[in-house]
Amino acid sequence: MEDNDKKELAKNLCNEGAEHLKHKLYDIAIMKFDKALEYDPSLADAWHNKGLSYREGKKYDEALKAFDKALEINPDLYRTMISKGDTLFMQGFLLESTDLFFNLSARGISPDKVDIRAEKIKLEEGIEEAIKGRSLFKEGNLEKAIEEFDVSLQKNPNDRLVLVYKGKALNQLKRYDEAIACLNEAIGRFSYHEAYKEKAISMYEQDNIEEAYLSIEAYLEYNPYDENSVNLHKNCQARLMNKTTSGQLASGALKNKERDEQFKETILKVVCILILMFFVYLWATKSQRLASTLKETGSNVEKNQVIYELSGQKGDVAFDALVKSLSDKNSGVRASSVNALSIMRDKRAIDPVLGMLGDKSQEVRYVSCIALGKFNDKKAVNPVTNILKNDSSYIVRMAAAETLGLLGDSLSVKDLSESVLNDNEEMCVRVSAVKSIGLIGDKNAVDALKKMSMKIKDVNISKEIIDTLQKLGVK
């Protein structure tokens, strides 16, 4: 496939994902955006919309990563900056959110939207002290700055940048142990890359070069072009080399040291074996633990999280737990279970998923159609055709049309053609039906498209038919 064709296909998939996002079908939308990015990894819109989908699904860390990727591709994507600022705010990262909106405001970008958001943040507890503390820090009044940071963190313990600034202030006061404790909190709770840099500085000052090296390595994974950090990394490497090649101790002392090192090495090996055994145990029992959690929890959010973890497991325990969740009273949980079974790709799931085509929820029926396309089993052709003809939701009918194309049964051409020719059918369903006939792509499909091209009056449908015929090599 030519690059231009790949980019065009990526845009179309991105548009389809945007439709699913609009209808709050977040998991399906993400799948579409991921597929678009397979064809064009530089499509900033797909990264932006993927971020929105994660955010609406309350997966904030994933959302921020997607927004950052979009901004890496296009630094002037202002709507992504605003969306990122909103996401930071939702997580309680108020100081970062304030900085982002302040910079946008200073550049005169979307002043109405930005100013409203900035004013909203000012009303949040802890932000006033955070800003005051940072000003004091920049002035060199470190003790007072720490006092303000402490008050800010009491009111809003989630502001990770405040934790980093407090760590910086403690570093400058040479209170390294306190600084490391503070920075470890930012790392442990938020995996915040800025905290790794400051921790590396603390460790380096305490001559703990091994820990400093590991911390600065972790930071450089996020920001490989930070000059000061690159220099610190080089210094750590040089110090480690010097330690390795430095002059030897006196003979007796050296032997004692060697014995100590051998003892430590033995202990370390034992510990590593025990840790490995523990992780093997966790791996072996993960499905059972997840299934138990799924059964016992009353939180739909937790159920969805567990369901997607189960989708990556193999075996009867995970499969049975997901099938059982198909009868959950919450439609979102049922939809997630169907999607998880499609990810698992266990052929035993085909019959249970076929049963979900009759679910009262539009979302569940939609996800079930998409899942059956992934299983690619001809058993689904007749049930999905029935959905195309009779389902009350055009979104579900659109999914059914797409799935029939993926199933590739020549007998589906007739029913798909009827949908294309139905002037009362929704445009998105008719377009999907044309594309699916193109996917089937045999002589029967080509003949049907040719006949329809002479009957169709709608300009958009007619163009879609012509484009599909061209992709099939028919002039």
Side-chain angles (χ1 to χ4, degrees):
M1 189 183 292
E2 298 291 331
D3 285 346
N4 288 339
D5 292 335
K6 287 183 179 180
K7 289 181 183 294
E8 187 62 31
L9 182 56
K11 285 180 183 176
N12 291 336
L13 286 164
C14 185
N15 290 335
E16 290 175 23
E19 279 296 313
H20 301 323
L21 173 57
K22 189 163 58 177
H23 290 93
K24 300 183 179 181
L25 301 169
Y26 305 125
D27 292 329
I28 306 303
I30 289 167
M31 286 193 293
K32 289 288 184 182
F33 297 135
D34 282 340
K35 194 67 179 174
L37 290 165
E38 284 180 26
Y39 289 107
D40 184 6
S42 65
L43 185 58
D45 280 348
W47 285 111
H48 171 84
N49 287 328
K50 185 179 176 181
L52 291 179
S53 300
Y54 274 128
R55 189 183 74 191
E56 294 306 309
K58 302 191 187 308
K59 297 177 180 177
Y60 299 119
D61 290 341
E62 295 300 324
L64 288 174
K65 289 176 186 175
F67 290 142
D68 283 340
K69 190 67 181 178
L71 291 168
E72 182 182 315
I73 295 164
N74 181 0
D76 293 325
L77 206 57
Y78 303 130
R79 62 195 175 98
T80 303
M81 294 181 195
I82 292 171
S83 295
K84 179 181 177 180
D86 289 339
T87 307
L88 290 167
F89 175 74
M90 290 174 184
Q91 291 181 279
F93 303 157
L94 302 182
L95 198 54
E96 291 167 83
S97 184
T98 296
D99 289 345
L100 192 151
F101 288 130
F102 176 81
N103 290 333
L104 288 174
S105 180
R107 294 163 67 182
I109 295 164
S110 301
D112 293 340
K113 293 180 181 178
V114 170
D115 290 345
I116 289 171
R117 285 166 167 78
E119 289 300 319
K120 185 178 179 182
I121 296 171
K122 285 181 183 177
L123 300 175
E124 292 293 311
E125 289 194 351
I127 188 60
E128 182 180 345
E129 292 83 1
I131 293 171
K132 185 178 178 183
R134 185 166 60 179
S135 295
L136 290 165
F137 171 82
K138 289 179 179 178
E139 292 168 6
N141 195 342
L142 301 177
E143 295 285 2
K144 284 289 184 185
I146 291 170
E147 289 177 13
E148 293 294 335
F149 292 144
D150 283 337
V151 174
S152 175
L153 290 167
Q154 284 173 8
K155 294 181 177 180
N156 175 23
N158 291 332
D159 207 328
R160 60 186 187 178
L161 188 54
V162 176
L163 282 167
V164 171
Y165 267 109
K166 181 182 175 183
K168 285 183 177 184
L170 289 165
N171 262 348
Q172 292 189 23
L173 290 169
K174 302 188 185 306
R175 291 157 58 179
Y176 299 122
D177 289 339
E178 293 175 72
I180 290 167
C182 183
L183 295 164
N184 278 340
E185 184 178 354
I187 291 168
R189 291 179 58 203
F190 308 111
S191 298
Y192 191 34
H193 56 275
E194 289 294 332
Y196 283 108
K197 179 180 178 180
E198 292 304 316
K199 181 179 177 180
I201 293 170
S202 295
M203 291 297 185
Y204 190 84
E205 292 297 329
Q206 289 185 299
D207 204 32
N208 189 340
I209 307 304
E210 292 85 353
E211 282 290 330
Y213 179 78
L214 292 173
S215 295
I216 205 64
E217 282 253 300
Y219 174 74
L220 288 171
E221 284 183 23
Y222 292 92
N223 192 350
Y225 305 112
D226 183 322
E227 189 175 344
N228 290 334
S229 298
V230 170
N231 289 334
L232 178 56
H233 186 257
K234 289 177 180 176
N235 290 340
C236 287
Q237 285 180 317
R239 293 276 296 275
L240 287 171
M241 288 294 291
N242 287 338
K243 275 192 171 186
T244 305
T245 59
S246 61
Q248 299 298 308
L249 301 173
S251 177
L254 180 58
K255 287 180 180 178
N256 288 334
K257 184 176 181 181
E258 285 176 351
R259 281 199 299 271
D260 289 344
E261 291 299 325
Q262 286 174 356
F263 178 73
K264 287 179 183 177
E265 187 176 337
T266 303
I267 293 296
L268 184 60
K269 285 179 180 177
V270 172
V271 170
C272 287
I273 291 169
L274 290 173
I275 290 172
L276 181 60
M277 290 173 63
F278 176 68
F279 279 110
V280 168
Y281 167 77
L282 289 179
W283 173 81
T285 61
K286 186 175 182 180
S287 292
Q288 189 61 59
R289 287 183 286 108
L290 289 170
S292 298
T293 302
L294 184 59
K295 182 179 178 181
E296 293 167 6
T297 184
S299 164
N300 292 327
V301 172
E302 188 174 6
K303 283 181 183 179
N304 281 323
Q305 291 173 342
V306 171
I307 283 167
Y308 284 108
E309 285 196 64
L310 281 168
S311 71
Q313 303 297 304
K314 302 291 183 185
D316 292 343
V317 173
F319 176 79
D320 292 342
L322 291 174
V323 170
K324 195 170 290 185
S325 291
L326 294 175
S327 59
D328 194 276
K329 63 182 179 180
N330 180 270
S331 62
V333 173
R334 297 198 301 276
S336 293
S337 299
V338 171
N339 194 30
L341 285 167
S342 74
I343 294 169
M344 189 180 278
R345 297 292 173 92
D346 189 320
K347 286 288 187 180
R348 293 178 296 168
I350 293 171
D351 287 333
V353 173
L354 281 170
M356 302 307 288
L357 291 175
D359 196 275
K360 62 184 178 181
S361 164
Q362 163 191 308
E363 181 185 4
V364 175
R365 299 197 305 277
Y366 176 94
V367 174
S368 299
C369 283
I370 298 294
L372 290 165
K374 291 182 185 178
F375 285 122
N376 196 21
D377 192 301
K378 292 291 195 293
K379 185 191 292 188
V381 171
N382 288 335
V384 174
T385 300
N386 186 51
I387 292 290
L388 175 66
K389 290 180 175 181
N390 301 312
D391 200 276
S392 59
S393 166
Y394 76 89
I395 292 291
V396 180
R397 295 197 301 276
M398 179 182 73
E402 290 180 8
T403 296
L404 288 172
L406 294 172
L407 294 173
D409 192 317
S410 184
L411 296 176
S412 300
V413 171
K414 178 177 176 295
D415 297 299
L416 288 165
S417 299
E418 288 176 4
S419 292
V420 177
L421 293 168
N422 183 359
D423 291 332
N424 294 321
E425 182 56 277
E426 293 289 337
M427 179 66 69
C428 64
V429 180
R430 299 174 74 187
V431 168
S432 291
V434 172
K435 290 179 178 177
S436 288
I437 294 171
L439 283 175
I440 293 170
D442 59 12
K443 185 179 182 303
N444 187 24
V446 171
D447 290 343
L449 289 168
K450 285 180 177 178
K451 288 177 183 177
M452 285 190 289
S453 66
M454 294 183 284
K455 294 180 182 180
I456 291 291
K457 296 178 182 178
D458 187 286
V459 176
N460 294 315
I461 300 295
S462 180
K463 182 179 181 302
E464 193 65 46
I465 291 172
I466 292 168
D467 289 346
T468 302
L469 283 168
Q470 287 177 344
K471 288 176 182 176
L472 291 171
V474 179
K475 296 181 180 179

